[in-house]
Amino acid sequence: MEQYIIKGGNPLVGDVTVSGAKNAALGILAASIMTNEDVLIDNLPDVKDINVMLEAIQEIGAKVERVDRHTVRINGGHIKEVSVDDEFIRRIRASYYFIGALLGKYKSAQVPLPGGCNIGSRPIDQHIKGFRALGAEVVIERGTVFAHAIDLVASHIYLDVVSVGATINIMMAAALAEGQTILENAAKEPHIVDVANFLNSMGANIKGAGTDTIRIRGVDHLHGTEYSIIPDQIEAGTFMCAAAATRGDVMIRNVIPKHLEAISAKLMEIGCEVIEFDDAVRVVGKPVQRHTDIKTLPYPGFPTDMQPQMAVTLSLANGTSMVTESIFENRFKYVDELARMGGCIKVEGNVAVIDGVKGFTGAQVNAPDLRAGAALVIAGLAADGYTVVDEIGYIQRGYECFEEKLQSLGAMIEKVDSDREMRKFKMKVG
Ligand code: EPZ
């Protein structure tokens, strides 16, 4: 089983370029099948979840041509199936986007209930509420969602919970519904805006994405387009925290600084220097960094997907910090792993009380999910000695060339698949 082996202690220094946003790309790939014309998408991140989505799109009959590692041409004109079902698609959360896309285009969809990181119960009741409001019949049988409509008709939908997935899914289904749908209490993440912009580039009529009220006026059909995915806000934030935790000096390129404001603000609060450029941000860690408090919130609040990475950074700051996780109910699984490295975090309900420590010592740890896995890598980079991170498949779902990008910043990290490779690494780095 592949692992990361890390020898910590090197401050990260240099330039790193961020890939396309995974959570925008997943919605955009699903939406791309809603037209019978060619869609060209570039700046796709080359990560596992994207590749699973592309395979599923191909399996239902769409044409998928990989132009290059980050560019794909898709044509949904020959789809012969509205049933998406394979063992891989069941493992990712974004499989649910096929419901909105297929229901919107074919008025019918059959998709397994989603998988994804085990960070909480992750229901899809708000998605179903939206589809039913548009006139679809939706039932769940044998772990599969069956959705069907004679016609989709606009509705006024109020989300009970601010949900990224439900917002994107309902936008897709409503894009081809008759009349104007109003979606209130919508999520406002950058990837919501990116999916809305993508749909509009296909001829949809969506206004207000990025605010909590989105208006979708249905159109008869969608046409082909060419589109480039926005940079990944969370990958950028992960490298920002890695720079802070290792007391490094890193220029993170191909970012939209506005998307990073909550993360930049918190790193400045603990004493880091954060300098913004048009499409880059530079983070300079300081020898002494202070504690602060974090509460995860829907955008533009502090992102839940940055909570583990920030908790590791706060573990290496002076004083006691409080981290409140208000989005998911099970997103502190990294705390026990971090304790093996000397972390001192107590979890009470949805609050983690973090007592800063002088430093971590390397240990063998397990990645419990995607972002916690990335956080444990950051801990290993800052630790004294060797750290081995297991279950790195989680990390590879959302980070392209993670170890190569870190190596380019001076990190001593390698992906190994055997004790022999582990020994070779230790011989090499000493
Ligand atoms: C998306 O998940 C992201 N995944 C997650 O990123 C991210 O953490 C999350 O949004 C919040 O930003 C993808 O985009 C593939 P939600 P999603 O619906 O859509 C509750 C990563 O690390 N809820 O916004 O599943 C839910 O339980 C991943 O890249 C309902 O109650 O998140 C949660 O408490 C992890 N009913 C809250 O809303 C519903 O129908 C937010 O969930 C839907 C959600």
Side-chain angles (χ1 to χ4, degrees), residues 286-337:
K286 299 296 176 195
V288 177
Q289 292 175 172
R290 299 182 294 276
H291 61 90
T292 187
D293 296 336
I294 302 276
K295 179 172 185 177
T296 65
L297 287 168
Y299 190 85
F302 191 88
T304 176
D305 290 351
M306 280 300 306
Q307 181 261 96
Q309 302 92 309
M310 195 68 200
V312 163
T313 306
L314 293 171
S315 292
L316 295 167
N318 286 2
T320 300
S321 302
M322 309 274 282
V323 173
T324 304
E325 173 54 63
S326 70
I327 308 288
F328 290 108
E329 62 272 25
N330 188 16
R331 202 161 202 176
F332 289 124
K333 293 203 304 277
Y334 59 88
V335 166
D336 292 342
E337 299 301 312

Side-chain angles (χ1 to χ4, degrees), residues 268-279:
M268 285 189 277
E269 267 178 40
I270 68 173
C272 294
E273 197 180 345
V274 181
I275 307 142
E276 288 185 1
F277 302 87
D278 286 347
D279 60 356

Side-chain angles (χ1 to χ4, degrees), residues 407-421:
Q407 286 162 359
S408 74
L409 295 171
M412 292 184 281
I413 178 173
E414 264 180 30
K415 184 165 60 184
V416 294
D417 206 356
S418 67
D419 288 344
R420 188 176 149 283
E421 287 180 2

Side-chain angles (χ1 to χ4, degrees), residues 215-399:
R215 286 174 168 70
I216 307 117
R217 184 170 292 284
V219 295
D220 293 338
H221 75 284
L222 297 172
H223 54 69
T225 186
E226 296 193 3
Y227 198 80
S228 191
I229 308 281
I230 54 168
D232 194 308
Q233 164 204 35
I234 305 302
E235 184 192 9
T238 301
F239 283 109
M240 292 168 76
C241 280
T246 60
R247 283 20 184 208
D249 179 350
V250 177
M251 179 74 87
I252 298 129
R253 298 191 181 285
N254 187 32
V255 302
I256 299 172
K258 174 128 189 74
H259 293 167
L260 306 172
E261 279 177 352
I263 303 159
S264 301
K266 283 299 170 184
L267 290 179
M268 285 189 277
E269 267 178 40
I270 68 173
C272 294
E273 197 180 345
V274 181
I275 307 142
E276 288 185 1
F277 302 87
D278 286 347
D279 60 356
V281 66
R282 181 178 170 198
V283 176
V284 185
K286 299 296 176 195
V288 177
Q289 292 175 172
R290 299 182 294 276
H291 61 90
T292 187
D293 296 336
I294 302 276
K295 179 172 185 177
T296 65
L297 287 168
Y299 190 85
F302 191 88
T304 176
D305 290 351
M306 280 300 306
Q307 181 261 96
Q309 302 92 309
M310 195 68 200
V312 163
T313 306
L314 293 171
S315 292
L316 295 167
N318 286 2
T320 300
S321 302
M322 309 274 282
V323 173
T324 304
E325 173 54 63
S326 70
I327 308 288
F328 290 108
E329 62 272 25
N330 188 16
R331 202 161 202 176
F332 289 124
K333 293 203 304 277
Y334 59 88
V335 166
D336 292 342
E337 299 301 312
L338 210 53
R340 301 157 64 85
M341 300 177 71
C344 184
I345 304 178
K346 278 187 296 305
V347 177
E348 284 147 27
N350 71 336
V351 177
V353 180
I354 301 175
D355 285 330
V357 294
K358 283 273 166 287
F360 291 136
T361 51
Q364 173 114 16
V365 292
N366 258 331
D369 60 65
L370 164 56
R371 304 302 175 184
L376 290 169
V377 169
I378 293 174
L381 294 171
D384 178 27
Y386 290 102
T387 295
V388 175
V389 182
D390 272 324
E391 304 295 332
I392 62 171
Y394 282 114
I395 303 172
Q396 293 166 330
R397 291 181 49 178
Y399 290 93

